[in-house]
Amino acid sequence: MERKPEKYIGYWINKVERTMKNIHDKRFQEYGITLSQGSLLHQLWHKDGLTQTEMQERLKLRGASVSGLVDALIKKGLIVRKQDNEDARYKRLYLTEKGRTIEDKTIGLLMELDEEIMEGFDQEEKDMLICWMRKLYSNLEKLDK
C-alpha cells in the first residue's frame, strides 16, 4: 500500500504553516521583526507587563525560545524587562514607545495577508474553514496534555 504524504492533513497543515511563516517574516522585515517576535509583541499589545512564564504559556513555547525572543526584542528597543513592584522574584515585560508604534502597521499587514490567502473563498467557506481549524486545534490540545 502506497502512503503518499499529501493524502494526510498533517502534511498540508505543516506546508501551510511554513509558507505562511515565510511570507509573514518577509513582510515584517520592514519593521525589523519576525513573525515569532511579532507574536510576543501581540501578547503585550493586549496585556502589557506579562512575565516570561506567562508568555511561555500564551505562546506555547519553551522557556529558552521565549528568552531568545525577549532578548532580541530588548536589543531592538521594542520591549524592556523590569522587576515586579510587588514581588522582586518576577521580571515583567513592557512595551517601549517604539514597540507600541508598530502595532497598527503590523496588524494591518496581518489583516492584508489574511484577505490575500482567503481569496476565492466565500464567507460560508471561510467560516467553515475556521470552524474546522478550531476543531483540529481542540483535538491537538487534548493530545498535547
Side-chain angles (χ1 to χ4, degrees):
M1 181 168 109
E2 186 179 352
R3 295 189 178 148
K4 295 183 178 183
E6 58 272 7
K7 290 190 176 209
Y8 297 94
I9 189 70
Y11 170 85
W12 289 107
I13 290 172
N14 187 39
K15 198 168 180 79
V16 166
E17 189 272 335
R18 285 177 190 248
T19 305
M20 281 187 68
K21 183 184 179 321
N22 290 338
I23 293 168
H24 278 101
D25 284 347
K26 284 178 193 168
R27 293 192 183 185
F28 280 179
Q29 269 180 340
E30 177 180 349
Y31 303 103
I33 61 172
T34 64
L35 176 61
S36 298
Q37 293 166 352
S39 296
L40 190 143
L41 288 171
H42 185 77
Q43 294 301 317
L44 294 176
W45 292 328
H46 287 283
K47 186 175 182 191
D48 208 12
L50 294 170
T51 66
Q52 283 191 212
T53 302
E54 290 169 327
M55 201 60 79
Q56 283 174 232
E57 293 165 4
R58 287 170 177 247
L59 297 176
K60 299 195 181 288
L61 293 173
R62 292 189 205 119
S65 298
V66 171
S67 257
L69 293 172
V70 166
D71 291 344
L73 290 169
I74 288 172
K75 194 173 186 178
K76 294 173 186 201
L78 297 170
I79 65 171
V80 292
R81 189 186 284 126
K82 294 181 184 176
Q83 200 152 6
D84 187 289
N85 293 333
E86 296 173 19
D87 191 338
R89 295 175 295 173
Y90 297 104
K91 289 193 169 98
R92 298 197 170 273
L93 305 171
Y94 294 94
L95 292 160
T96 63
E97 190 56 40
K98 184 178 176 184
R100 282 185 188 86
T101 61
I102 66 170
E103 178 181 6
D104 289 340
K105 295 169 189 164
T106 56
I107 297 297
L109 284 176
L110 293 173
M111 292 170 63
E112 185 181 292
L113 181 58
D114 198 62
E115 283 183 31
E116 290 174 37
I117 65 173
M118 296 302 281
E119 189 176 321
F121 289 80
D122 64 32
Q123 192 57 50
E124 185 179 339
E125 291 170 324
K126 290 176 187 178
D127 293 343
M128 191 174 295
L129 179 58
I130 289 170
C131 177
W132 290 343
M133 294 304 288
R134 285 183 174 159
K135 284 181 182 180
L136 284 169
Y137 182 74
S138 176
N139 291 343
L140 288 168
E141 277 207 310
K142 290 175 197 171
L143 294 171
D144 196 34
K145 294 189 184 215

